[in-house]
Amino acid sequence: MTPFHRALTHTLAAEGYYTDSGPTYRGIDRRYWPGWEGWAIIDDWLAGDITVPVRDAALVEPVERFYRAQFWNRIWGDRVAELDEGVAMGLFDFSVHSGCHSAVRALQASMNDLNRHGRTYADIAEDGVMGSRTLETLRRQLGTVYGGELGNARRILLNRYTVERGVIMRGARDREDWPGWWLRLSWV
């Protein structure tokens, strides 16, 4: 299984299947993604032309293509996973939940907070754009010794990133599904 497929499996575990609120299928909300290729299959199912098992089997590849194109590729998921698959999974899930820009900006802010006032590496722009500078800073951050151990860099980054994600989620606490959003943080 590839890092993308592991990240997708983790994220889809929180998304569920079809709901008519939206409507939404596997987290893909028709209000925001009306051109997604899977809606034709959903419409056939709603019309009674296909069964649920046929619908779900037919939607595996369209769901994968959607999440790869709209989120994984935009956050440079394969390149991040080469550095640390757990960070890639968290970045992907955060992107799906709150948008690529928010997820990358939170990563950039987290790394800036951990750079020992610019002594470990220079601050980077918190612009929400994944690029070579953000990727290089991530590589340097993950290679930093904290508390006498190299492995602490990953734990500290993921913990700091969770805090940043929580700040964004706190702004939506009036939503009915807000407690479920917090369950998504289990990747840490």
Side-chain angles (χ1 to χ4, degrees):
M1 185 178 283
T2 68
F4 166 71
H5 286 98
R6 279 189 287 280
L8 182 63
T9 298
H10 174 81
T11 295
L12 291 182
E15 291 296 350
Y17 285 85
Y18 181 80
T19 62
D20 58 4
S21 63
T24 302
Y25 183 81
R26 304 300 273 156
I28 304 168
D29 191 317
R30 195 170 201 162
R31 293 172 296 185
Y32 303 111
W33 305 101
W36 174 56
E37 65 182 293
W39 292 122
I41 297 167
I42 298 290
D43 291 342
D44 287 347
W45 167 69
L46 289 171
D49 296 338
I50 60 174
T51 64
V52 169
V54 170
R55 174 200 73 188
D56 292 342
L59 288 170
V60 169
E61 289 183 16
V63 166
E64 286 182 6
R65 280 192 296 272
F66 170 81
Y67 280 108
R68 184 180 292 279
Q70 296 301 325
F71 300 98
W72 186 257
N73 291 345
R74 291 178 59 204
I75 61 161
W76 295 21
D78 289 328
R79 294 184 69 190
V80 173
E82 289 173 5
L83 298 175
D84 189 283
E85 193 171 324
V87 173
M89 286 179 69
L91 188 61
F92 175 73
D93 190 67
F94 193 167
S95 296
V96 169
H97 189 258
S98 301
C100 293
H101 183 270
S102 294
V104 172
R105 194 210 57 76
L107 178 66
Q108 293 164 333
S110 298
M111 290 188 302
N112 282 343
D113 284 352
L114 297 172
N115 71 5
R116 297 180 174 140
H117 306 289
R119 292 187 316 240
T120 305
Y121 45 82
D123 275 350
I124 57 173
E126 295 176 22
D127 59 8
V129 177
M130 181 55 82
S132 57
R133 183 126 189 252
T134 299
L135 195 67
E136 174 57 21
T137 301
L138 176 61
R139 185 192 64 73
R140 291 193 66 190
Q141 193 283 324
L142 290 170
T144 300
V145 173
Y146 295 94
E149 292 184 34
L150 182 60
N152 286 338
R154 177 183 190 271
R155 289 197 337 253
I156 290 169
L157 177 63
L158 291 175
N159 287 337
R160 174 59 188 85
Y161 192 56
T162 299
V163 169
E164 192 70 24
R165 187 172 179 180
V167 168
I168 291 171
M169 290 168 56
R170 185 171 165 81
R173 65 178 176 244
D174 59 334
R175 291 180 50 110
E176 184 178 317
D177 54 356
W178 188 69
W181 288 10
W182 287 95
L183 291 173
R184 298 179 79 118
L185 299 181
S186 64
W187 56 270
V188 172

